[in-house]
């Protein structure tokens, strides 16, 4: 049976893991969100999130954005290649509805998969 959990193995945990993604990444981006990815040696994708205080001032808003993206990753992890992904959130994401944000993130997952495989 397919597992849809978001365990520790599916996260980028250390600064070194984050830093490695910034060297020659595969990109998929929109005006509000950028995904950076590099192939990893695991059998599954891993996710790291950065929501800057500069763009999203209040902690509960940053947490909401991270929760939506994390949940979306959890549901789509089996469609993604074995890559380390860092999600960078920029200005304008606060103006989006939750459903709109989910749709955008799903579109970016697909774009990233195509760029990685194609």
């Amino acid at each position: 049976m397919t597992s849809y959990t978001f365990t520790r193995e599916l996260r980028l945990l250390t600064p070194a893991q984050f830093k490695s993604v910034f060297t020659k990444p595969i990109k998929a981006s929109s005006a509000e969100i950028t995904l950076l990815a590099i192939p990893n040696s695991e059998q599954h994708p891993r996710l790291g999130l950065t929501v800057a205080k500069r763009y999203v001032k209040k902690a509960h808003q940053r947490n909401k954005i991270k929760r939506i993206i994390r949940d979306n990753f959890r549901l789509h992890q089996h469609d993604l290649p074995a890559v380390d992904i860092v999600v960078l959130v920029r200005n304008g994401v606060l103006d989006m509805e939750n459903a709109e944000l989910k749709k955008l993130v799903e579109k970016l997952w697909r774009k990233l998969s195509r760029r990685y495989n194609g």
Side-chain angles (χ1 to χ4, degrees), residues 9-20:
E9 292 87 57
L10 295 174
R11 298 181 201 155
L12 294 179
L13 300 169
T14 65
Q17 289 173 336
F18 272 85
K19 205 172 186 177
S20 70

Side-chain angles (χ1 to χ4, degrees), residues 46-107:
R46 294 189 304 179
L47 179 71
L49 292 163
T50 57
V51 182
K53 263 188 201 174
R54 189 168 114 197
Y55 300 127
V56 185
K57 299 278 187 260
K58 298 192 167 112
H60 73 273
Q61 294 170 326
R62 286 194 299 278
N63 292 340
K64 183 187 88 166
I65 291 164
K66 287 193 275 191
R67 207 169 25 249
I68 291 168
I69 295 171
R70 199 180 300 123
D71 188 54
N72 205 289
F73 173 80
R74 186 179 64 78
L75 297 172
H76 292 86
Q77 64 186 335
H78 304 292
D79 307 331
L80 295 168
V83 291
D84 287 346
I85 303 167
V86 171
V87 179
L88 302 170
V89 175
R90 289 196 295 264
N91 231 349
V93 82
L94 272 180
D95 306 330
M96 299 172 82
E97 295 291 321
N98 289 1
E100 208 180 339
L101 179 58
K102 285 178 190 168
K103 246 186 216 143
L104 173 65
V105 173
E106 284 170 23
K107 187 176 126 192

